[in-house]
mmCIF file of all heavy atoms in Angstrom:
data_model
loop_
_atom_site.group_PDB
_atom_site.id
_atom_site.type_symbol
_atom_site.label_atom_id
_atom_site.label_comp_id
_atom_site.label_asym_id
_atom_site.label_seq_id
_atom_site.Cartn_x
_atom_site.Cartn_y
_atom_site.Cartn_z
ATOM 1 N N VAL A 229 111.770 172.209 135.741
ATOM 2 C CA VAL A 229 110.695 171.872 136.677
ATOM 3 C C VAL A 229 109.446 172.649 136.280
ATOM 4 O O VAL A 229 109.378 173.870 136.423
ATOM 5 C CB VAL A 229 111.101 172.214 138.126
ATOM 6 C CG1 VAL A 229 109.936 171.929 139.072
ATOM 7 C CG2 VAL A 229 112.324 171.420 138.530
ATOM 8 N N GLN A 230 108.450 171.931 135.781
ATOM 9 C CA GLN A 230 107.211 172.549 135.315
ATOM 10 C C GLN A 230 106.032 171.803 135.933
ATOM 11 O O GLN A 230 105.725 170.680 135.553
ATOM 12 C CB GLN A 230 107.126 172.453 133.789
ATOM 13 C CG GLN A 230 108.341 172.995 133.090
ATOM 14 C CD GLN A 230 108.071 174.309 132.384
ATOM 15 O OE1 GLN A 230 106.966 174.584 131.967
ATOM 16 N NE2 GLN A 230 109.098 175.107 132.249
ATOM 17 N N GLN A 231 105.406 172.438 136.917
ATOM 18 C CA GLN A 231 104.258 171.841 137.591
ATOM 19 C C GLN A 231 103.051 172.741 137.362
ATOM 20 O O GLN A 231 102.931 173.794 137.995
ATOM 21 C CB GLN A 231 104.525 171.677 139.081
ATOM 22 C CG GLN A 231 103.328 171.161 139.868
ATOM 23 C CD GLN A 231 102.809 169.835 139.344
ATOM 24 O OE1 GLN A 231 103.557 168.865 139.269
ATOM 25 N NE2 GLN A 231 101.536 169.774 138.976
ATOM 26 N N PHE A 232 102.177 172.342 136.450
ATOM 27 C CA PHE A 232 101.067 173.219 136.073
ATOM 28 C C PHE A 232 99.905 173.128 137.060
ATOM 29 O O PHE A 232 99.348 174.140 137.470
ATOM 30 C CB PHE A 232 100.595 172.897 134.663
ATOM 31 C CG PHE A 232 99.652 173.926 134.099
ATOM 32 C CD1 PHE A 232 100.046 175.246 133.959
ATOM 33 C CD2 PHE A 232 98.365 173.575 133.719
ATOM 34 C CE1 PHE A 232 99.179 176.211 133.451
ATOM 35 C CE2 PHE A 232 97.491 174.533 133.199
ATOM 36 C CZ PHE A 232 97.899 175.845 133.069
ATOM 37 N N ALA A 233 99.514 171.933 137.442
ATOM 38 C CA ALA A 233 98.346 171.763 138.306
ATOM 39 C C ALA A 233 98.682 172.110 139.753
ATOM 40 O O ALA A 233 99.814 171.945 140.212
ATOM 41 C CB ALA A 233 97.842 170.321 138.229
ATOM 42 N N HIS A 234 97.675 172.590 140.500
ATOM 43 C CA HIS A 234 97.793 172.695 141.952
ATOM 44 C C HIS A 234 97.986 171.291 142.532
ATOM 45 O O HIS A 234 97.462 170.294 141.990
ATOM 46 C CB HIS A 234 96.515 173.255 142.568
ATOM 47 C CG HIS A 234 96.160 174.638 142.148
ATOM 48 N ND1 HIS A 234 97.045 175.683 142.125
ATOM 49 C CD2 HIS A 234 94.964 175.175 141.765
ATOM 50 C CE1 HIS A 234 96.434 176.791 141.750
ATOM 51 N NE2 HIS A 234 95.164 176.508 141.514
ATOM 52 N N LEU A 235 98.674 171.218 143.674
ATOM 53 C CA LEU A 235 98.900 169.937 144.337
ATOM 54 C C LEU A 235 98.410 169.986 145.778
ATOM 55 O O LEU A 235 98.572 170.998 146.467
ATOM 56 C CB LEU A 235 100.390 169.581 144.311
ATOM 57 C CG LEU A 235 101.015 169.397 142.927
ATOM 58 C CD1 LEU A 235 102.511 169.139 143.055
ATOM 59 C CD2 LEU A 235 100.334 168.264 142.180
ATOM 60 N N ALA A 236 97.838 168.881 146.222
ATOM 61 C CA ALA A 236 97.386 168.753 147.610
ATOM 62 C C ALA A 236 97.741 167.366 148.115
ATOM 63 O O ALA A 236 97.796 166.407 147.337
ATOM 64 C CB ALA A 236 95.881 168.977 147.712
ATOM 65 N N SER A 237 97.963 167.259 149.422
ATOM 66 C CA SER A 237 98.352 165.974 150.006
ATOM 67 C C SER A 237 97.165 165.310 150.686
ATOM 68 O O SER A 237 96.067 165.877 150.768
ATOM 69 C CB SER A 237 99.459 166.191 151.044
ATOM 70 O OG SER A 237 98.901 166.654 152.266
ATOM 71 N N GLY A 238 97.407 164.125 151.232
ATOM 72 C CA GLY A 238 96.374 163.432 151.994
ATOM 73 C C GLY A 238 95.910 164.214 153.200
ATOM 74 O O GLY A 238 94.754 164.081 153.638
ATOM 75 N N LEU A 239 96.776 165.061 153.759
ATOM 76 C CA LEU A 239 96.377 165.905 154.881
ATOM 77 C C LEU A 239 95.218 166.819 154.516
ATOM 78 O O LEU A 239 94.370 167.144 155.349
ATOM 79 C CB LEU A 239 97.563 166.764 155.334
ATOM 80 C CG LEU A 239 98.654 166.100 156.166
ATOM 81 C CD1 LEU A 239 99.862 167.014 156.272
ATOM 82 C CD2 LEU A 239 98.127 165.742 157.543
ATOM 83 N N THR A 240 95.180 167.245 153.264
ATOM 84 C CA THR A 240 94.147 168.178 152.815
ATOM 85 C C THR A 240 92.762 167.552 152.863
ATOM 86 O O THR A 240 91.764 168.256 153.016
ATOM 87 C CB THR A 240 94.476 168.649 151.385
ATOM 88 O OG1 THR A 240 95.733 169.309 151.404
ATOM 89 C CG2 THR A 240 93.434 169.613 150.858
ATOM 90 N N LEU A 241 92.700 166.247 152.774
ATOM 91 C CA LEU A 241 91.405 165.569 152.730
ATOM 92 C C LEU A 241 90.623 165.760 154.027
ATOM 93 O O LEU A 241 89.399 165.660 154.025
ATOM 94 C CB LEU A 241 91.602 164.074 152.448
ATOM 95 C CG LEU A 241 92.329 163.756 151.135
ATOM 96 C CD1 LEU A 241 92.566 162.259 151.002
ATOM 97 C CD2 LEU A 241 91.557 164.290 149.937
ATOM 98 N N ARG A 242 91.326 166.032 155.111
ATOM 99 C CA ARG A 242 90.632 166.224 156.384
ATOM 100 C C ARG A 242 90.285 167.689 156.634
ATOM 101 O O ARG A 242 89.738 168.032 157.683
ATOM 102 C CB ARG A 242 91.463 165.667 157.538
ATOM 103 C CG ARG A 242 92.604 166.519 158.000
ATOM 104 C CD ARG A 242 93.672 165.725 158.712
ATOM 105 N NE ARG A 242 94.447 166.482 159.664
ATOM 106 C CZ ARG A 242 95.240 167.514 159.390
ATOM 107 N NH1 ARG A 242 95.360 167.937 158.148
ATOM 108 N NH2 ARG A 242 95.905 168.122 160.354
ATOM 109 N N HIS A 243 90.608 168.563 155.668
ATOM 110 C CA HIS A 243 90.387 169.999 155.867
ATOM 111 C C HIS A 243 89.144 170.510 155.145
ATOM 112 O O HIS A 243 88.430 171.356 155.685
ATOM 113 C CB HIS A 243 91.614 170.773 155.386
ATOM 114 C CG HIS A 243 91.484 172.255 155.522
ATOM 115 N ND1 HIS A 243 91.606 172.908 156.735
ATOM 116 C CD2 HIS A 243 91.225 173.226 154.600
ATOM 117 C CE1 HIS A 243 91.438 174.208 156.557
ATOM 118 N NE2 HIS A 243 91.202 174.422 155.276
ATOM 119 N N TYR A 244 88.875 170.041 153.941
ATOM 120 C CA TYR A 244 87.809 170.622 153.122
ATOM 121 C C TYR A 244 86.481 169.888 153.294
ATOM 122 O O TYR A 244 86.428 168.664 153.401
ATOM 123 C CB TYR A 244 88.224 170.640 151.652
ATOM 124 C CG TYR A 244 89.225 171.726 151.352
ATOM 125 C CD1 TYR A 244 90.561 171.430 151.126
ATOM 126 C CD2 TYR A 244 88.825 173.064 151.324
ATOM 127 C CE1 TYR A 244 91.485 172.437 150.872
ATOM 128 C CE2 TYR A 244 89.744 174.069 151.067
ATOM 129 C CZ TYR A 244 91.060 173.753 150.845
ATOM 130 O OH TYR A 244 91.974 174.755 150.598
ATOM 131 N N ALA A 245 85.401 170.688 153.268
ATOM 132 C CA ALA A 245 84.063 170.150 153.537
ATOM 133 C C ALA A 245 83.621 169.131 152.501
ATOM 134 O O ALA A 245 82.782 168.266 152.788
ATOM 135 C CB ALA A 245 83.051 171.293 153.587
ATOM 136 N N SER A 246 84.155 169.184 151.303
ATOM 137 C CA SER A 246 83.704 168.284 150.237
ATOM 138 C C SER A 246 83.916 166.814 150.587
ATOM 139 O O SER A 246 83.204 165.946 150.082
ATOM 140 C CB SER A 246 84.434 168.613 148.929
ATOM 141 O OG SER A 246 85.827 168.610 149.117
ATOM 142 N N PHE A 247 84.893 166.517 151.444
ATOM 143 C CA PHE A 247 85.215 165.122 151.752
ATOM 144 C C PHE A 247 84.537 164.621 153.031
ATOM 145 O O PHE A 247 84.675 163.451 153.380
ATOM 146 C CB PHE A 247 86.735 164.959 151.885
ATOM 147 C CG PHE A 247 87.498 165.348 150.649
ATOM 148 C CD1 PHE A 247 88.138 166.573 150.567
ATOM 149 C CD2 PHE A 247 87.561 164.491 149.565
ATOM 150 C CE1 PHE A 247 88.836 166.944 149.420
ATOM 151 C CE2 PHE A 247 88.248 164.855 148.409
ATOM 152 C CZ PHE A 247 88.886 166.085 148.344
ATOM 153 N N GLU A 248 83.811 165.491 153.710
ATOM 154 C CA GLU A 248 83.286 165.126 155.028
ATOM 155 C C GLU A 248 82.237 164.026 154.981
ATOM 156 O O GLU A 248 82.019 163.336 155.973
ATOM 157 C CB GLU A 248 82.710 166.368 155.716
ATOM 158 C CG GLU A 248 83.793 167.354 156.157
ATOM 159 C CD GLU A 248 83.222 168.598 156.804
ATOM 160 O OE1 GLU A 248 81.971 168.752 156.799
ATOM 161 O OE2 GLU A 248 84.004 169.423 157.308
ATOM 162 N N HIS A 249 81.580 163.847 153.837
ATOM 163 C CA HIS A 249 80.536 162.829 153.760
ATOM 164 C C HIS A 249 81.105 161.427 153.542
ATOM 165 O O HIS A 249 80.352 160.441 153.585
ATOM 166 C CB HIS A 249 79.563 163.152 152.611
ATOM 167 C CG HIS A 249 80.179 162.987 151.257
ATOM 168 N ND1 HIS A 249 81.036 163.926 150.705
ATOM 169 C CD2 HIS A 249 80.080 161.989 150.334
ATOM 170 C CE1 HIS A 249 81.423 163.514 149.519
ATOM 171 N NE2 HIS A 249 80.860 162.346 149.254
ATOM 172 N N CYS A 250 82.403 161.316 153.328
ATOM 173 C CA CYS A 250 83.006 160.014 153.038
ATOM 174 C C CYS A 250 83.279 159.243 154.337
ATOM 175 O O CYS A 250 84.049 159.718 155.183
ATOM 176 C CB CYS A 250 84.321 160.203 152.286
ATOM 177 S SG CYS A 250 84.145 161.004 150.681
ATOM 178 N N PRO A 251 82.691 158.069 154.528
ATOM 179 C CA PRO A 251 82.929 157.292 155.755
ATOM 180 C C PRO A 251 84.400 156.987 156.002
ATOM 181 O O PRO A 251 84.836 156.918 157.155
ATOM 182 C CB PRO A 251 82.118 156.009 155.519
ATOM 183 C CG PRO A 251 81.041 156.413 154.569
ATOM 184 C CD PRO A 251 81.671 157.435 153.665
ATOM 185 N N SER A 252 85.188 156.825 154.937
ATOM 186 C CA SER A 252 86.596 156.478 155.118
ATOM 187 C C SER A 252 87.428 157.619 155.689
ATOM 188 O O SER A 252 88.574 157.411 156.088
ATOM 189 C CB SER A 252 87.200 156.020 153.787
ATOM 190 O OG SER A 252 87.008 156.984 152.783
ATOM 191 N N LEU A 253 86.855 158.818 155.768
ATOM 192 C CA LEU A 253 87.591 159.951 156.329
ATOM 193 C C LEU A 253 87.897 159.726 157.810
ATOM 194 O O LEU A 253 88.925 160.191 158.310
ATOM 195 C CB LEU A 253 86.780 161.235 156.151
ATOM 196 C CG LEU A 253 87.413 162.519 156.675
ATOM 197 C CD1 LEU A 253 88.737 162.820 155.979
ATOM 198 C CD2 LEU A 253 86.451 163.702 156.495
ATOM 199 N N VAL A 254 87.036 159.006 158.507
ATOM 200 C CA VAL A 254 87.235 158.772 159.940
ATOM 201 C C VAL A 254 88.558 158.048 160.186
ATOM 202 O O VAL A 254 89.343 158.424 161.070
ATOM 203 C CB VAL A 254 86.056 157.955 160.520
ATOM 204 C CG1 VAL A 254 86.327 157.585 161.981
ATOM 205 C CG2 VAL A 254 84.760 158.740 160.399
ATOM 206 N N LYS A 255 88.826 157.028 159.413
ATOM 207 C CA LYS A 255 90.060 156.260 159.564
ATOM 208 C C LYS A 255 91.278 157.117 159.265
ATOM 209 O O LYS A 255 92.285 157.064 159.980
ATOM 210 C CB LYS A 255 90.032 155.045 158.638
ATOM 211 C CG LYS A 255 91.237 154.132 158.756
ATOM 212 C CD LYS A 255 91.098 152.927 157.828
ATOM 213 C CE LYS A 255 92.318 152.016 157.926
ATOM 214 N NZ LYS A 255 92.184 150.848 157.006
ATOM 215 N N LEU A 256 91.199 157.929 158.212
ATOM 216 C CA LEU A 256 92.324 158.786 157.848
ATOM 217 C C LEU A 256 92.593 159.811 158.943
ATOM 218 O O LEU A 256 93.744 160.032 159.342
ATOM 219 C CB LEU A 256 92.021 159.477 156.522
ATOM 220 C CG LEU A 256 93.091 160.412 155.958
ATOM 221 C CD1 LEU A 256 93.123 160.328 154.435
ATOM 222 C CD2 LEU A 256 92.846 161.856 156.372
ATOM 223 N N LYS A 257 91.549 160.436 159.463
ATOM 224 C CA LYS A 257 91.727 161.418 160.534
ATOM 225 C C LYS A 257 92.341 160.782 161.767
ATOM 226 O O LYS A 257 93.205 161.375 162.430
ATOM 227 C CB LYS A 257 90.377 162.054 160.892
ATOM 228 C CG LYS A 257 89.885 163.107 159.928
ATOM 229 C CD LYS A 257 88.606 163.740 160.471
ATOM 230 C CE LYS A 257 88.166 164.929 159.637
ATOM 231 N NZ LYS A 257 86.945 165.571 160.165
ATOM 232 N N ARG A 258 91.915 159.565 162.078
ATOM 233 C CA ARG A 258 92.432 158.877 163.261
ATOM 234 C C ARG A 258 93.922 158.618 163.120
ATOM 235 O O ARG A 258 94.695 158.792 164.066
ATOM 236 C CB ARG A 258 91.671 157.569 163.482
ATOM 237 C CG ARG A 258 92.071 156.846 164.780
ATOM 238 C CD ARG A 258 91.384 155.497 164.912
ATOM 239 N NE ARG A 258 89.933 155.640 164.819
ATOM 240 C CZ ARG A 258 89.183 155.021 163.924
ATOM 241 N NH1 ARG A 258 89.744 154.251 162.997
ATOM 242 N NH2 ARG A 258 87.884 155.181 163.931
ATOM 243 N N ARG A 259 94.347 158.215 161.934
ATOM 244 C CA ARG A 259 95.775 157.947 161.729
ATOM 245 C C ARG A 259 96.604 159.202 161.946
ATOM 246 O O ARG A 259 97.612 159.172 162.657
ATOM 247 C CB ARG A 259 96.012 157.400 160.319
ATOM 248 C CG ARG A 259 97.500 157.243 159.980
ATOM 249 C CD ARG A 259 97.713 156.513 158.666
ATOM 250 N NE ARG A 259 97.227 157.256 157.516
ATOM 251 C CZ ARG A 259 97.935 158.183 156.861
ATOM 252 N NH1 ARG A 259 99.160 158.498 157.278
ATOM 253 N NH2 ARG A 259 97.425 158.788 155.802
ATOM 254 N N PHE A 260 96.189 160.312 161.361
ATOM 255 C CA PHE A 260 96.971 161.543 161.541
ATOM 256 C C PHE A 260 96.959 161.999 162.995
ATOM 257 O O PHE A 260 97.974 162.473 163.513
ATOM 258 C CB PHE A 260 96.428 162.648 160.631
ATOM 259 C CG PHE A 260 96.860 162.507 159.198
ATOM 260 C CD1 PHE A 260 95.924 162.418 158.175
ATOM 261 C CD2 PHE A 260 98.205 162.457 158.851
ATOM 262 C CE1 PHE A 260 96.320 162.289 156.848
ATOM 263 C CE2 PHE A 260 98.608 162.329 157.530
ATOM 264 C CZ PHE A 260 97.659 162.246 156.523
ATOM 265 N N ALA A 261 95.811 161.858 163.656
ATOM 266 C CA ALA A 261 95.724 162.287 165.059
ATOM 267 C C ALA A 261 96.655 161.472 165.943
ATOM 268 O O ALA A 261 97.244 161.997 166.900
ATOM 269 C CB ALA A 261 94.287 162.165 165.551
ATOM 270 N N GLN A 262 96.809 160.189 165.637
ATOM 271 C CA GLN A 262 97.676 159.324 166.436
ATOM 272 C C GLN A 262 99.147 159.501 166.089
ATOM 273 O O GLN A 262 100.008 159.540 166.974
ATOM 274 C CB GLN A 262 97.258 157.867 166.253
ATOM 275 C CG GLN A 262 95.893 157.536 166.820
ATOM 276 C CD GLN A 262 95.427 156.134 166.456
ATOM 277 O OE1 GLN A 262 95.993 155.465 165.590
ATOM 278 N NE2 GLN A 262 94.363 155.687 167.112
ATOM 279 N N GLN A 263 99.447 159.636 164.800
ATOM 280 C CA GLN A 263 100.838 159.673 164.370
ATOM 281 C C GLN A 263 101.453 161.063 164.449
ATOM 282 O O GLN A 263 102.666 161.188 164.675
ATOM 283 C CB GLN A 263 100.939 159.163 162.922
ATOM 284 C CG GLN A 263 100.599 157.691 162.760
ATOM 285 C CD GLN A 263 100.716 157.232 161.315
ATOM 286 O OE1 GLN A 263 101.006 158.026 160.410
ATOM 287 N NE2 GLN A 263 100.478 155.957 161.069
ATOM 288 N N ALA A 264 100.655 162.091 164.260
ATOM 289 C CA ALA A 264 101.214 163.453 164.190
ATOM 290 C C ALA A 264 100.213 164.452 164.779
ATOM 291 O O ALA A 264 99.642 165.282 164.054
ATOM 292 C CB ALA A 264 101.539 163.804 162.746
ATOM 293 N N PRO A 265 99.996 164.415 166.100
ATOM 294 C CA PRO A 265 98.997 165.304 166.708
ATOM 295 C C PRO A 265 99.305 166.788 166.527
ATOM 296 O O PRO A 265 98.389 167.614 166.560
ATOM 297 C CB PRO A 265 99.026 164.910 168.187
ATOM 298 C CG PRO A 265 100.327 164.187 168.386
ATOM 299 C CD PRO A 265 100.618 163.520 167.088
ATOM 300 N N GLU A 266 100.577 167.138 166.327
ATOM 301 C CA GLU A 266 100.908 168.551 166.112
ATOM 302 C C GLU A 266 100.257 169.102 164.848
ATOM 303 O O GLU A 266 99.945 170.289 164.767
ATOM 304 C CB GLU A 266 102.423 168.737 166.020
ATOM 305 C CG GLU A 266 103.108 169.012 167.341
ATOM 306 C CD GLU A 266 104.538 169.462 167.137
ATOM 307 O OE1 GLU A 266 105.311 168.689 166.547
ATOM 308 O OE2 GLU A 266 104.880 170.574 167.563
ATOM 309 N N LEU A 267 100.069 168.244 163.869
ATOM 310 C CA LEU A 267 99.434 168.701 162.630
ATOM 311 C C LEU A 267 97.993 169.136 162.886
ATOM 312 O O LEU A 267 97.513 170.118 162.312
ATOM 313 C CB LEU A 267 99.481 167.600 161.569
ATOM 314 C CG LEU A 267 100.880 167.124 161.161
ATOM 315 C CD1 LEU A 267 100.772 165.995 160.146
ATOM 316 C CD2 LEU A 267 101.714 168.272 160.599
ATOM 317 N N ASP A 268 97.304 168.403 163.751
ATOM 318 C CA ASP A 268 95.953 168.800 164.134
ATOM 319 C C ASP A 268 95.986 170.036 165.020
ATOM 320 O O ASP A 268 95.137 170.925 164.895
ATOM 321 C CB ASP A 268 95.257 167.662 164.873
ATOM 322 C CG ASP A 268 94.772 166.564 163.932
ATOM 323 O OD1 ASP A 268 94.729 166.805 162.711
ATOM 324 O OD2 ASP A 268 94.450 165.471 164.423
ATOM 325 N N ARG A 269 96.951 170.100 165.907
ATOM 326 C CA ARG A 269 97.044 171.238 166.828
ATOM 327 C C ARG A 269 97.147 172.552 166.071
ATOM 328 O O ARG A 269 96.513 173.552 166.447
ATOM 329 C CB ARG A 269 98.261 171.065 167.736
ATOM 330 C CG ARG A 269 98.509 172.237 168.678
ATOM 331 C CD ARG A 269 99.795 172.046 169.459
ATOM 332 N NE ARG A 269 100.104 173.220 170.261
ATOM 333 C CZ ARG A 269 101.235 173.388 170.948
ATOM 334 N NH1 ARG A 269 102.168 172.441 170.932
ATOM 335 N NH2 ARG A 269 101.440 174.491 171.636
ATOM 336 N N TYR A 270 97.927 172.558 165.004
ATOM 337 C CA TYR A 270 98.138 173.784 164.234
ATOM 338 C C TYR A 270 97.330 173.821 162.933
ATOM 339 O O TYR A 270 97.512 174.724 162.120
ATOM 340 C CB TYR A 270 99.622 173.949 163.907
ATOM 341 C CG TYR A 270 100.497 174.135 165.128
ATOM 342 C CD1 TYR A 270 101.568 173.283 165.381
ATOM 343 C CD2 TYR A 270 100.245 175.165 166.036
ATOM 344 C CE1 TYR A 270 102.371 173.459 166.495
ATOM 345 C CE2 TYR A 270 101.038 175.343 167.153
ATOM 346 C CZ TYR A 270 102.107 174.489 167.377
ATOM 347 O OH TYR A 270 102.889 174.671 168.494
ATOM 348 N N GLY A 271 96.435 172.858 162.753
ATOM 349 C CA GLY A 271 95.576 172.854 161.569
ATOM 350 C C GLY A 271 96.351 172.810 160.273
ATOM 351 O O GLY A 271 95.989 173.477 159.293
ATOM 352 N N ILE A 272 97.401 172.001 160.237
ATOM 353 C CA ILE A 272 98.275 171.979 159.067
ATOM 354 C C ILE A 272 97.753 170.987 158.030
ATOM 355 O O ILE A 272 97.466 169.833 158.330
ATOM 356 C CB ILE A 272 99.718 171.621 159.470
ATOM 357 C CG1 ILE A 272 100.324 172.773 160.269
ATOM 358 C CG2 ILE A 272 100.581 171.317 158.236
ATOM 359 C CD1 ILE A 272 101.664 172.472 160.887
ATOM 360 N N HIS A 273 97.589 171.463 156.812
ATOM 361 C CA HIS A 273 97.354 170.597 155.652
ATOM 362 C C HIS A 273 98.150 171.219 154.525
ATOM 363 O O HIS A 273 98.162 172.447 154.379
ATOM 364 C CB HIS A 273 95.876 170.483 155.311
ATOM 365 C CG HIS A 273 95.299 171.664 154.624
ATOM 366 N ND1 HIS A 273 95.044 171.714 153.264
ATOM 367 C CD2 HIS A 273 94.944 172.881 155.097
ATOM 368 C CE1 HIS A 273 94.547 172.880 152.936
ATOM 369 N NE2 HIS A 273 94.466 173.615 154.032
ATOM 370 N N VAL A 274 98.838 170.422 153.742
ATOM 371 C CA VAL A 274 99.834 171.014 152.847
ATOM 372 C C VAL A 274 99.389 170.982 151.383
ATOM 373 O O VAL A 274 98.824 170.011 150.894
ATOM 374 C CB VAL A 274 101.215 170.348 153.004
ATOM 375 C CG1 VAL A 274 101.757 170.660 154.400
ATOM 376 C CG2 VAL A 274 101.181 168.853 152.787
ATOM 377 N N MET A 275 99.683 172.107 150.729
ATOM 378 C CA MET A 275 99.354 172.312 149.327
ATOM 379 C C MET A 275 100.495 173.092 148.685
ATOM 380 O O MET A 275 101.284 173.741 149.377
ATOM 381 C CB MET A 275 98.041 173.086 149.191
ATOM 382 C CG MET A 275 96.881 172.486 149.969
ATOM 383 S SD MET A 275 95.416 173.543 149.972
ATOM 384 C CE MET A 275 94.780 173.214 148.333
ATOM 385 N N ALA A 276 100.558 173.054 147.360
ATOM 386 C CA ALA A 276 101.615 173.758 146.643
ATOM 387 C C ALA A 276 101.127 174.134 145.260
ATOM 388 O O ALA A 276 100.339 173.413 144.643
ATOM 389 C CB ALA A 276 102.871 172.893 146.540
#
Side-chain angles (χ1 to χ4, degrees):
V229 177
Q230 307 252 332
Q231 175 57 57
F232 192 60
H234 297 313
L235 298 176
S237 79
L239 283 168
T240 299
L241 301 176
R242 78 203 206 297
H243 179 76
Y244 284 106
S246 53
F247 301 101
E248 289 179 353
H249 69 282
C250 298
S252 55
L253 180 61
V254 174
K255 183 178 179 181
L256 181 145
K257 283 185 173 181
R258 185 185 304 122
R259 174 172 66 86
F260 282 123
Q262 293 172 347
Q263 293 180 357
E266 270 192 300
L267 300 178
D268 283 346
R269 176 185 174 187
Y270 296 124
I272 291 172
H273 76 102
V274 294
M275 307 172 78

